[in-house]
Amino acid sequence: MAVAHQGRTVSAVESVQVTFRALTADEIATYVATGEPMDKAGAYGIQGFGAINVERIDGDYFAVMGLPLGRLIELLRDLGFSYAFGPITVADRGVR
């Protein structure tokens, strides 16, 4: 992901390993028949029916969802922003 602000750009890569439980051919066919995996990267939706197929996640759940929030906060901090469980502000300037 990359974040740009006032001519500066910072970027990072977030890696997550998702392990599925063993699935039978019938379970796979039934899941595909729901239509859920058809428009998803990786062909499953961890936030939907596909959640029951996931045995383990090594990494940031939110990266699997599509936006690694922890990494985003780190990149924003590198650009001078801060987050304290409220609005994101520019450090030392109080700009929101």
Side-chain angles (χ1 to χ4, degrees):
M1 69 181 317
V3 179
H5 178 69
Q6 295 183 342
R8 286 190 58 213
T9 302
V10 293
S11 63
V13 174
E14 189 73 24
S15 177
V16 180
Q17 183 172 340
V18 178
T19 303
F20 278 31
R21 66 182 177 83
L23 300 169
T24 67
D26 285 342
E27 288 174 313
I28 294 168
T30 300
Y31 180 55
V32 169
T34 70
E36 182 179 86
M38 307 314 286
D39 65 348
K40 309 278 188 294
Y44 74 101
I46 196 166
Q47 72 279 21
F49 297 124
I52 66 165
N53 299 328
V54 176
E55 181 176 276
R56 175 186 178 114
I57 300 170
D58 294 308
D60 185 348
Y61 172 82
F62 294 103
V64 178
M65 293 282 296
L67 183 64
L69 296 176
R71 180 74 68 198
L72 174 61
I73 293 301
E74 290 175 9
L75 293 176
L76 289 170
R77 188 176 302 128
D78 290 347
L79 290 173
F81 290 85
S82 65
Y83 176 74
F85 304 99
I88 294 174
T89 60
V90 176
D92 300 324
R93 289 182 266 174
V95 177
R96 296 173 188 244

